[in-house]
Amino acid sequence: MGETGNAGRDVLNRVGDKWSASVLFLLRDRTRRFMDLRRGIAGISRRMLTVTLRHLERDGLISRTVHAVVPPRVDYALTPLGRALVRRIGGLVAWADTHVDDIERARTSFDSRMRGAAGAAPWSSQAAATVTLTVATVNNPDMVVMQSLTKDFEAKNPAIRVHYVVLPENDLRQKVTADVATGAGRFDIVTVGTYEVPFWAQNRWLVPLEPFFGRMSPADAVAYNRADLLRPVMTALTVGGEAYALPFYAESSMTYYRKDLFTRAGLVMPLHPTWDQVAGFARRFHDPSRKVYGILLRGLPGWGVQLALLDTVINTFGGRWFDMRWRPQLTSAAFTKAVRFYVDLLRSAGEPGATTSGFTELETLMSRGNAALCVDATVAAGYLANPRTSRVADTIGFAYSPMKVTRKGSHWLWAWSLGLEGSSKHKAEAFKFLTWATSPEYIKLVAARRGWMAVPPGTRYSTYASPGYRQAAAFAPIVEDSITTADPTDATVQKVPYTGIQYVGIPEFAGIGTTVSQYIAAAIAGTDTVRGALHKAQRSVEHTMRQAGYLQ
């Protein structure tokens, strides 16, 4: 092709790289600043965004304007050349959306002809053109059960095969972001949490599900029964009145305790304990010489690990992350008191090496009988109460998550959910799998094959109304009530400008939370004081919020 052809390929490579398309599409509506762009592109690092912007500016697709103000302000905008490119790409997307039904009809007609013409062509020996759906998911017990039961779905849908790509949470977010930005269509279905859904919906990385529900047959719609899905969970997965994901399992937080230890000590765990009561019990039972720790609490840094529980402590102690003007409140009296309480409890009655302990490590310790109490996700209840997986199944007790001065925000709300990826080339088939994996039929299948204890919790009212589930799961009423009373829109004593219980519902929180949790981990490890850790965290958050444009 010569030098001109090579240059053309170079431009195509640039436009189709991991991040460029995302930047161009975010700039299609208006001029944006650096942190505004970074907020809109999940998973992109500061350095990578800088490199991407530099390349796009060099190619003449965007402009960079520096304003002589203090502090300096830099705006990025599409050039006429860049706007022309976005129109071309947008036209392709619009054409695909307009003709998706035509293409589906053509595929169906072709597959039918191939089935009726055995031997007519080399490919006709296959009963039909089989569609392979790729599901990007995380590795946890409920997802493993889904994978093992997928053959039932494939048996009922012989033209569909399902392939799983299992990834750590952070890798999942980055790979899906890249896939949608480049339009590669590697994934059809993605596992997504309640934190990401609003941002992914806004960026069109997820497809609204209402059109697909609208095309359901009346019989299928009745069988699926959308009204049966827990309302607080679906509210968290709905953006602008449209559902963008369906819950595979949902959870809140609760207290686990050893009934045998309490009975021998003549103590009674209240159904609604306070944090002061829990701390007193933990210190009473703490006996490291016998490898029985007073309480298990998350200490591993991470916005979704350590801070998931600690944020509920901050809420119930009367703290908040930001005031109504987005000023960080990490050194406020309530925030400091909550963090100091958490750190002191871990250091005096918690598991050793707490800064390496996340959900899985604590669940394992509790199931082996190495602790008297644990406060963590409700999804652990089935594991801890199952004799196949827990040595303390017969003696495990359940109570609500502890509180201090308010019940607001004292227990979290989270759902691992399934959504249709924006760049999927098999959306109709993917929706069919989506509604199978989140259906009453699937719940009954798990119960029949694995027992009621293995049923994905927190998604359907009918699960909690089932006599079989209520008999097998003594924890069911607490879990259902905890999920249905968790309110991300009213989780703090004082007013706040954000939604969320165990997280702040802004794109920056993933980075902010992880950084803050690392400072707090230093206090847990004893290499810093709580006061010192929070002052460092306060400065870091102020800097980030100022760069992001929240603070003037």
Side-chain angles (χ1 to χ4, degrees), residues 247-393:
F248 184 68
Y249 78 78
E251 66 179 36
S252 186
S253 51
M254 67 189 296
T255 303
Y256 303 96
Y257 66 99
R258 291 269 302 280
K259 293 188 291 186
D260 56 328
L261 297 182
F262 273 72
T263 299
R264 284 202 295 268
L267 299 173
V268 177
M269 170 65 78
L271 182 60
H272 293 276
T274 67
W275 270 111
D276 290 334
Q277 289 172 325
V278 166
F281 292 145
R283 293 188 174 101
R284 170 78 177 268
F285 290 119
H286 191 55
D287 189 356
S289 65
R290 294 175 51 239
K291 292 188 178 179
V292 176
Y293 311 112
I295 191 166
L296 305 178
L297 301 171
R298 300 184 187 189
L300 181 69
W303 70 268
V305 189
Q306 176 205 105
L307 286 188
L309 180 60
L310 180 52
D311 279 345
T312 67
V313 179
I314 292 166
N315 293 336
T316 193
F317 270 65
R320 55 181 176 169
W321 274 81
F322 302 97
D323 66 12
M324 290 299 291
R325 294 171 61 187
W326 287 107
R327 293 178 300 191
Q329 301 295 297
L330 280 67
T331 54
S332 66
F335 199 107
T336 302
K337 186 176 181 180
V339 175
R340 180 169 287 116
F341 172 87
Y342 193 86
V343 170
D344 289 348
L345 182 55
L346 255 180
R347 288 181 59 80
S348 64
E351 74 275 8
T355 55
T356 63
S357 297
F359 170 77
T360 303
E361 292 78 15
L362 301 187
E363 184 183 56
T364 300
L365 283 172
M366 195 70 188
S367 70
R368 292 176 177 174
N370 293 126
L373 298 102
C374 178
V375 182
D376 213 294
T378 57
V379 74
Y383 186 89
L384 295 176
N386 189 341
R388 298 177 183 176
T389 54
S390 173
R391 298 175 188 171
V392 297

Side-chain angles (χ1 to χ4, degrees), residues 533-549:
L534 291 182
H535 274 275
K536 294 182 182 74
Q538 174 80 8
R539 289 196 297 271
S540 174
V541 177
E542 284 177 348
H543 177 73
T544 300
M545 297 300 282
R546 186 167 287 108
Q547 280 196 319

Side-chain angles (χ1 to χ4, degrees), residues 31-66:
T31 296
R32 294 178 184 263
R33 298 169 67 179
F34 183 91
M35 290 306 298
D36 190 17
L37 287 167
R38 192 177 177 196
R39 281 201 305 273
I41 306 175
I44 192 168
S45 67
R46 189 181 193 82
R47 177 183 176 280
M48 184 52 64
L49 179 56
T50 300
V51 170
T52 301
L53 290 169
R54 186 180 300 127
H55 286 322
L56 292 173
E57 184 182 6
R58 180 171 180 262
D59 290 340
L61 299 174
I62 67 171
S63 64
R64 178 176 181 271
T65 304
V66 181

